[in-house]
Amino acid sequence: MAHPIGAPLPGRLPVGLPAGADSAVGSGVRRFFATVHAPRLGGAPGARTTPDGSVVTPRVAGRRRILDSVPWTGRYSSLVTLLDAAAILVAATVAVRPWSGGDIAGRAVVAALVVVLWLGGLVVEKTRDRRIVGIGLEEYSRVWRASWHVVAAVGLAAFLVGAGVDRAVVVVLFVAGLPLVLLARFGARTYLKSLRDEGRALSRLIVTGSRTCVAELVADLNSNPRAGYLVVGACIPGGDPLAGEVIAGIPVLGDVADVPHQVRVVHAHAVAVVGADSLTAGVVRDLGYRLESTGTDLIVAPGLVDVAGPRVVLSPAEGLSLVHVDAPQFSGARYVAKSALDRGLALAALLVLALPMLVIAVCVRATSPGPVLYRQRRVGRDGRPFQMLKFRSMRVGADAELANLAAANEGAGPLFKMRDDPRVTRVGAILRRYSLDELPQLLNVLRGDMSLVGPRPPLPTEVAQYDGHAPRRMLVKPGLTGLWQVSGRSDLSWEEGLRKDLYYVENWSLVGDVLILARTFRAVLAHEGAY
């Protein structure tokens, strides 16, 4: 049976939105994907099975391998290509400026050349690689690299050959085109994530390793369908498929040696290797050789918890592949750039939002006696206290009533939260719902107490209860927003919120900050976890 990108993969029930629901991109895009089907393994006309269980199709006759294309990737790649081309063409139209005078034909030729080279650069940098689309920052990083490489190449080539290239066209095309391409990628990723939330557009995965490691990886992947994998089986040392053993709800398909055969049986697209004493370097190398004939990806999970790609460097040393983990960066040029970006954007935001903030201040003062701003002592970087500003959303004296509400606490860990807090004013409820009460914290950012993106600013009482690695949250400035805000905010457990804050502290980057800011707007509009 054929499976288009919009169809649920076998063995997984849709979650999130009901099957057939319109995605953010629209039913038209869904129909676009549904029109073309990728053939299932063994379903192609003329396919035959060899004695060892291999399936050979006519298009790969002479090469004993399974169909190596993942069903959803072809159509998704086509969609991204169309979006990239549309974004760059719009930018090219702006760059040529047909309404102005000058050599329009010459400008059009230059723009067309840059468009072709730009699209080619996106292909060379593998920006549509199915292993990176939809997750993480690598896709955006590759788009950026491809873009500036093309511009640099055009400028260098024009200089070497002495061509009179209109530099204004190239600059405007790049400045206008890059944001449009990134925006197009963001839209495509949003659509892909909606499909994965429904249990679609997933690559089938076999996990091999020790029982404990397999169970941990399966739990992580099942809790994060947006990673793009559907675990269909496990192969463990000494595993017996006839015993009916199940690990974390996943059937045991056999021993490690059975992986290549089981890949063909369950039509897996990838194999993930996790820790086990029996999985030596030689065993993994041999497994890679045997998987070459199946067109299956081999994934080695290094077990580096909460360490992101920018901190990981793979270097070959005398035939060995060594994984280097860089220490987190809390100072230097990057951190100076982050502080400058924070203050610049905070100042711009205050100028733009001055009138709305004045209206909010009038509403707060008119509907509830007391000051407009609420000042609260919070703990900042390196444990330094500061006065955090917010629009007052509760009645005066609300702090003194906290002890009487302790029994109704719905917060996690040392946090106090109530969905229907009786201390909140009518205007305050609206401000909290859309996080408008936090806008004065832009002044904290401007003063250097806070950052636009960072861990949640803790109370002194919370810090007093910190243990383990929790104090590492204070190695950077607290943020007006952060991973905690865009991942559920008050709906997160204390452990989940702490883990996200620590992940940010260990792996922050300027690109990551920009993406978190973009996700914040969606989280605010959806008022996720805000109460």
Side-chain angles (χ1 to χ4, degrees):
M1 176 182 176
H3 288 272
I5 186 173
L9 285 169
R12 183 180 179 95
L13 294 176
V15 296
L17 297 174
D22 287 343
S23 68
V25 178
S27 59
V29 177
R30 188 180 297 279
R31 288 195 299 272
F32 169 78
F33 277 107
T35 55
V36 176
H37 302 264
R40 281 296 304 270
L41 179 62
R48 58 186 178 84
T49 303
T50 62
D52 66 350
S54 302
V55 178
V56 180
T57 64
R59 75 178 185 92
V60 292
R63 299 179 63 192
R64 294 168 53 194
R65 57 180 297 177
I66 66 171
L67 185 66
D68 62 357
S69 62
V70 182
W72 58 270
T73 55
R75 281 294 154 183
Y76 182 76
S77 179
S78 298
L79 173 64
V80 172
T81 301
L82 290 175
L83 292 176
D84 287 344
I88 297 173
L89 286 174
V90 169
T93 302
V94 174
V96 172
R97 294 180 296 175
W99 55 85
S100 63
D103 184 10
I104 300 301
R107 291 176 179 177
V109 170
V110 172
L113 176 62
V114 176
V115 167
V116 172
L117 292 176
W118 200 339
L119 291 174
L122 294 174
V123 173
V124 172
E125 284 288 347
K126 299 181 179 179
T127 63
R128 304 177 194 117
D129 191 324
R130 64 179 172 83
R131 294 168 294 185
I132 64 160
V133 294
I135 55 175
L137 303 178
E138 180 62 21
E139 181 180 0
Y140 293 116
S141 297
R142 293 189 185 185
V143 169
W144 163 254
R145 288 199 302 269
S147 301
W148 79 262
H149 284 168
V150 167
V151 172
V154 170
L156 180 61
F159 173 77
L160 292 177
V161 302
V165 174
D166 192 331
R167 287 173 293 180
V169 172
V170 178
V171 172
V172 172
L173 179 55
F174 177 74
V175 171
L178 181 58
L180 289 175
V181 172
L182 293 176
L183 182 62
R185 290 300 179 103
F186 177 77
R189 285 164 66 104
T190 300
Y191 174 64
L192 182 59
K193 288 176 182 178
S194 72
L195 290 178
R196 287 176 172 173
D197 286 342
E198 300 173 23
R200 309 179 182 193
L202 302 174
S203 300
R204 298 169 65 85
L205 178 71
I206 289 179
V207 182
T208 180
S210 68
R211 287 171 171 80
T212 301
C213 293
V214 166
E216 291 177 354
L217 182 59
V218 169
D220 288 341
L221 292 176
N222 285 345
S223 64
N224 184 19
R226 292 184 177 182
Y229 290 100
L230 169 66
V231 183
V232 294
C235 290
I236 59 177
D240 183 1
L242 301 180
E245 184 178 358
V246 175
I247 300 177
I250 302 301
V252 173
L253 304 178
D255 187 67
V256 176
D258 299 324
V259 169
H261 173 69
Q262 292 299 334
V263 161
R264 297 178 172 91
V265 173
V266 301
H267 310 156
H269 306 123
V271 173
V273 178
V274 292
D277 292 340
S278 59
L279 287 173
T280 63
V283 173
V284 174
R285 182 170 56 249
D286 180 67
L287 178 60
Y289 293 157
R290 297 176 64 191
L291 289 176
E292 284 182 0
S293 63
T294 68
T296 307
D297 290 337
L298 178 62
I299 304 169
V300 179
L304 300 175
V305 179
D306 290 342
V307 176
R311 290 178 53 205
V312 177
V313 179
L314 183 64
S315 67
E318 297 298 332
L320 299 176
S321 293
L322 303 180
V323 178
H324 298 260
V325 181
D326 292 338
Q329 296 293 318
F330 306 119
S331 60
R334 283 203 312 143
Y335 207 83
V336 171
K338 174 181 172 67
S339 298
L341 181 66
D342 284 338
R343 285 185 165 92
L345 291 179
L347 178 60
L350 284 170
L351 294 175
V352 172
L353 298 174
L355 182 58
M357 290 176 67
L358 179 61
V359 172
I360 292 174
V362 171
C363 293
V364 171
R365 189 61 181 268
T367 57
S368 174
V372 170
L373 294 179
Y374 173 70
R375 292 171 170 83
Q376 189 175 46
R377 188 179 177 87
R378 295 290 179 113
V379 181
R381 186 181 184 188
D382 297 327
R384 291 192 295 267
F386 69 97
Q387 292 291 323
M388 189 182 75
L389 302 176
K390 299 177 70 174
F391 282 122
R392 184 172 56 84
S393 60
M394 294 185 176
R395 57 181 176 241
V396 176
D399 290 341
E401 304 177 40
L402 185 60
N404 299 328
L405 299 173
N409 184 19
E410 301 175 29
L415 305 179
F416 179 87
K417 289 290 182 179
M418 283 184 64
R419 291 184 182 274
D420 298 310
D421 196 320
R423 302 172 297 168
V424 177
T425 65
R426 286 180 299 172
V427 170
I430 299 174
L431 298 181
R432 283 169 166 254
R433 186 175 180 83
Y434 295 101
S435 301
L436 297 176
D437 59 322
E438 298 177 3
L439 288 179
Q441 291 172 34
L442 290 169
L443 293 172
N444 288 116
V445 176
L446 202 59
R447 292 192 317 200
D449 297 327
M450 296 177 61
S451 175
L452 286 178
V453 181
R456 190 187 64 82
L459 291 163
T461 53
E462 297 172 24
V463 175
Q465 301 179 55
Y466 279 176
D467 57 8
H469 299 299
R472 291 184 64 82
R473 298 174 73 254
M474 296 181 290
L475 291 175
V476 298
K477 293 177 184 179
L480 192 152
T481 185
L483 280 178
W484 57 275
Q485 171 119 348
V486 300
S487 303
R489 203 172 175 183
S490 297
D491 291 337
L492 296 177
S493 68
W494 165 251
E495 291 76 14
E496 290 173 324
L498 176 61
R499 181 174 179 180
K500 290 186 180 299
D501 278 346
L502 291 178
Y503 180 88
Y504 174 82
V505 169
E506 301 285 348
N507 304 287
W508 73 270
S509 68
L510 291 177
V511 176
D513 282 2
V514 172
L515 293 179
I516 290 174
L517 288 172
R519 291 175 60 187
T520 298
F521 290 107
R522 182 174 63 85
V524 168
L525 292 176
H527 45 82
E528 299 170 349
Y531 52 86

